[in-house]
Amino acid sequence: MANTITLEQQIGKGEFNEVYRSGELAVKLFNKGYSKADVMNEAYIQARIEEVGGINIPKLHSIPLMNDRYGIVMDYIPGKNMAELIYENPKDTEKYIDKLVDIQMEIHTKRCPYLIKMRDKLADRINRSDLDEDKKFELLTMLDGSPKHNKVTHGDFTPHNIMVGEDGKIYILDWNHASQGNASADVARTYLWLCLHHKEIAELYLDMFCQKSRTDKRYVQRWMPVVAGARLIKKKDGEEELLRKWVDVVLYE
Ligand SMILES: Nc1ncnc2c1ncn2[C@@H]1O[C@H](COP(=O)(O)OP(=O)(O)OP(=O)(O)O)[C@@H](O)[C@H]1O
Ligand SMILES: [Mg+2]
């Protein structure tokens, strides 16, 4: 495989990066000044997940430094992400969400002892949030009392991070939030994201997941204050009001 990376065509854009095609490769190119440790960590997790086996992800190749910007070089997947497909074919939404749920359940069957523990990650974020000390204590107590699981969880399992290849094969992207922990918390995280950004499919998703996995909805709902509190540190425009509402559910229950 050729070593030269040329940025041929932009194929994606995130908050801190752009994604380019380079022949048979894709480069996730991070902004200048973006944490080197975070780039290495994302690539490390991707490599670990590759080793787990049975989870389809683009193969990781290298982490070059290009004009003061780090890139994660991986296989290019010809196709579209599931968010684009849902937007283009709204009548097939249920079919796509059904597939999304199947893949998420499959990922939860995997184990990877090298990943960070979800409860440590959530506790760290709650501690770093601007919630008052009483709220933090309440959320941390909830977290502490939750069942201790070690399932592989993607942590940002949304339609944008699922590539549907031209051949119909599905690949999961963007593993930097992965951890080992509780499946219901991972589902609560996806549900929260859908409530924030695609409210029209949030209930469909939660109903389908709970039905397929025979999970009582309340197991997922119990995680909402914790996952909402942990997301507050992102300080994303338009999210704060709803996140604080979810956090407060725990106080008045
Ligand atoms: N290997 C790849 N092959 C084809 N398209 C890709 C590939 N990697 C990323 N993309 C496209 O680029 C988009 C953004 O990529 P990715 O999800 O990794 O970044 P991001 O969402 O910015 O990450 P973050 O959530 O860390 O900000 C994807 O939704 C997908 O459409
Ligand atoms: Mg993404």
Side-chain angles (χ1 to χ4, degrees):
M1 185 154 302
N3 286 324
T4 327
I5 305 293
T6 47
L7 307 180
E8 287 169 14
Q9 176 202 353
Q10 189 173 336
I11 52 174
K13 176 158 176 53
E15 201 178 343
F16 306 109
N17 62 72
E18 289 129 28
V19 184
Y20 293 90
R21 180 174 179 182
S22 175
E24 299 198 336
L25 300 174
V27 193
K28 187 168 178 175
L29 195 60
F30 291 87
N31 294 347
K32 232 178 235 184
Y34 184 82
S35 159
K36 175 170 64 179
D38 285 349
V39 176
M40 301 300 157
N41 189 48
E42 179 166 338
Y44 171 76
I45 297 172
Q46 194 167 335
R48 282 295 181 198
I49 294 294
E50 213 178 296
E51 272 186 10
V52 166
I55 304 178
N56 225 10
I57 67 171
K59 187 170 180 236
L60 176 77
H61 290 279
S62 60
I63 316 166
L65 184 60
M66 304 164 71
N67 294 327
D68 288 336
R69 300 175 70 182
Y70 279 100
I72 296 181
V73 178
M74 63 192 111
D75 281 346
Y76 166 68
I77 312 297
K80 288 183 178 170
N81 71 48
M82 201 181 264
E84 294 170 314
L85 289 169
I86 290 175
Y87 183 75
E88 286 170 16
N89 313 290
K91 63 173 190 347
D92 292 334
T93 301
E94 206 165 319
K95 185 187 85 185
Y96 288 121
I97 298 299
D98 185 75
K99 193 74 201 156
L100 178 145
V101 165
D102 284 348
I103 303 164
Q104 194 171 20
M105 283 171 57
E106 174 69 20
I107 293 172
H108 292 159
T109 67
K110 308 293 180 190
R111 301 292 179 268
C112 180
Y114 303 104
L115 298 181
I116 187 172
K117 296 241 175 14
M118 179 194 276
R119 61 181 55 247
D120 293 343
K121 195 169 170 158
L122 290 171
D124 171 63
R125 287 177 173 217
I126 289 165
N127 275 319
R128 285 195 285 126
S129 74
D130 62 0
L131 291 167
D132 67 45
E133 292 308 311
D134 285 351
K135 279 190 189 175
K136 283 185 188 175
F137 181 75
E138 199 150 350
L139 295 180
L140 293 171
T141 305
M142 259 187 73
L143 185 57
D144 211 38
S146 62
K148 295 182 173 48
H149 290 172
N150 64 343
K151 298 175 176 175
V152 170
T153 58
H154 180 279
D156 191 19
F157 202 72
T158 65
H160 294 87
N161 288 331
I162 302 173
M163 280 300 292
V164 183
E166 279 166 355
D167 56 359
K169 212 167 156 189
I170 289 188
Y171 296 80
I172 314 303
L173 307 172
D174 214 356
W175 285 89
N176 58 333
H177 301 294
S179 61
Q180 40 173 338
N182 197 299
S184 297
D186 191 46
V187 175
R189 174 58 183 66
T190 299
Y191 176 62
L192 177 71
W193 189 89
L194 290 172
C195 287
L196 289 164
H197 300 286
H198 289 279
K199 200 152 177 25
E200 68 290 355
I201 51 176
E203 300 308 322
L204 172 70
Y205 161 74
L206 186 58
D207 286 347
M208 269 196 179
F209 189 94
C210 291
Q211 192 195 351
K212 287 197 153 207
S213 63
R214 296 170 192 271
T215 303
D216 188 325
K217 242 190 217 183
R218 284 171 299 183
Y219 281 112
V220 179
Q221 284 160 341
R222 262 182 226 147
W223 280 99
M224 292 302 283
V226 169
V227 297
R231 191 171 170 89
L232 273 173
I233 59 162
K234 284 192 170 258
K235 297 205 177 300
K236 287 221 173 163
D237 285 350
E239 290 195 351
E240 188 170 341
E241 195 186 339
L242 192 58
L243 290 179
R244 289 194 193 273
K245 266 191 199 155
W246 279 113
V247 167
D248 281 343
V249 168
V250 74
L251 295 177
Y252 307 118
E253 241 178 13

